């Protein structure tokens, strides 16, 4: 029926999905008796834990969300002794993002998967993909502060994410023409998941645009 290579690839993808589905922010919040559904936009992720429980636990959850996007996939992808199809690595990285966004722990209603996205791109591009997103997010925050704003709304956070994905697209196209076509799978799959998880904010942005 199935050869060992195919089964091993399926296993890697499935295990990475399971890794992504562990909702560390939710677990920490439950231990502290905090209901993240009542914090800001109700997202069960590290940013809302940061707001509710402080920067120390928020940073811990953020780091865990990042590393679950990296591991255990990186143990295979970065191991010179292991031959693995780059498209499988791309699908597996995407599975980690999907695991967070549609976690079985929360009846498939997970978080927005931004930190896990950074982890997934780290597996395939090391520091490059995350740097593109990180610089964009940082510049957006700097501009926001220069405009006199102390914080951001969920809609502004969404705008920041999609500006980041615009520049990530430019980077992805460059990588495709330089021998990494598998990044197309990760990029568009990641974009679809992130767009779906931000759909409410997208509709609000469109409504505001229409009113203006």
């Amino acid at each position: 029926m199935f050869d060992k290579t195919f089964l091993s690839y399926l296993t890697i993808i499935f295990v990475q999905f399971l890794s992504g589905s562990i909702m560390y922010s939710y677990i920490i919040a439950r231990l502290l008796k905090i209901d993240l559904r009542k914090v800001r936009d109700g997202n069960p992720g590290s940013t809302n834990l940061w707001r509710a429980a402080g920067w120390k636990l928020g940073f811990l959850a953020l780091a865990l969300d990042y590393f679950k996007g990296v591991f255990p996939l990186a143990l295979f992808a970065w191991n010179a002794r292991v031959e693995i199809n780059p498209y499988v690595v791309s699908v597996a990285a995407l599975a980690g993002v999907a695991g967070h966004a549609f976690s079985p722990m929360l009846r498939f209603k997970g978080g927005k998967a931004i930190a896990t996205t950074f982890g997934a791109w780290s597996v395939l591009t090391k520091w490059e993909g995350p740097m593109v997103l990180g610089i964009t997010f940082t510049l957006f925050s700097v501009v926001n502060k220069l405009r006199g704003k102390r914080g951001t709304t969920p809609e502004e956070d969404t705008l920041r994410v999609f500006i980041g994905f615009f520049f990530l697209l430019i980077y992805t196209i460059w990588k495709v023409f330089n021998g990494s076509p598998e990044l197309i799978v990760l990029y568009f799959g990641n974009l679809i998941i992130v767009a779906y998880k931000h759909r409410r904010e997208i509709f609000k942005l469109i409504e505001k645009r229409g009113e203006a």
Side-chain angles (χ1 to χ4, degrees):
M1 290 180 65
F2 302 113
D3 59 25
K4 291 182 179 180
T5 301
F6 180 75
L7 289 175
S8 64
Y9 285 170
L10 282 181
T11 300
I12 291 171
I13 292 169
F14 180 67
V15 170
Q16 189 63 25
F17 176 84
L18 289 181
S19 176
S21 70
I22 302 173
M23 303 300 291
Y24 295 106
S25 298
Y26 172 79
I27 294 170
I28 295 171
R30 283 294 298 271
L31 292 173
L32 297 173
K33 297 182 179 179
I34 296 173
D35 188 352
L36 291 179
R37 294 174 298 178
K38 297 179 180 179
V39 179
R40 204 178 185 229
D41 58 354
N43 179 51
S46 56
T47 54
N48 276 350
L49 181 66
W50 193 306
R51 293 184 179 94
W55 73 269
K56 292 181 181 179
L57 289 176
F59 182 79
L60 173 63
L62 182 69
L64 290 171
D65 282 349
Y66 168 79
F67 282 113
K68 74 181 185 181
V70 176
F71 297 104
L73 179 58
L75 299 177
F76 302 98
W78 297 348
N79 190 339
R81 297 180 180 179
V82 178
E83 292 186 11
I84 182 170
N85 188 299
Y87 284 95
V88 172
V89 177
S90 190
V91 171
L94 183 60
V97 176
H100 181 90
F102 308 104
S103 174
M105 281 185 64
L106 299 178
R107 298 179 181 179
F108 300 98
K109 295 180 181 179
K112 293 182 177 178
I114 301 304
T116 311
T117 289
F118 273 79
W121 282 86
S122 293
V123 175
L124 279 91
T125 68
K126 302 293 174 64
W127 54 271
E128 294 177 353
M131 185 182 70
V132 172
L133 289 174
I135 290 176
T136 306
F137 289 5
T138 301
L139 289 176
F140 185 94
S141 298
V142 169
V143 171
N144 216 39
K145 287 185 177 181
L146 291 175
R147 293 171 61 192
K149 292 188 176 183
R150 293 185 178 181
T152 57
T153 65
E155 291 75 31
E156 288 171 333
D157 288 343
T158 298
L159 182 60
R160 176 177 60 187
V161 167
F162 283 96
I163 291 174
F165 265 81
F166 170 75
F167 286 105
L168 189 62
L169 174 61
I170 295 174
Y171 165 77
T172 300
I173 292 172
W174 175 74
K175 290 293 285 185
V176 166
F177 283 102
N178 284 274
S180 299
E182 69 277 1
L183 289 181
I184 286 290
V185 175
L186 176 59
Y187 178 83
F188 284 104
N190 202 165
L191 179 63
I192 290 170
I193 291 172
V194 168
Y196 177 79
K197 298 302 295 188
H198 289 81
R199 63 193 184 282
R200 293 179 183 175
E201 291 80 8
I202 292 172
F203 289 139
K204 287 182 179 179
L205 284 170
I206 294 172
E207 288 176 2
K208 289 181 179 179
R209 189 74 176 180
E211 292 173 359

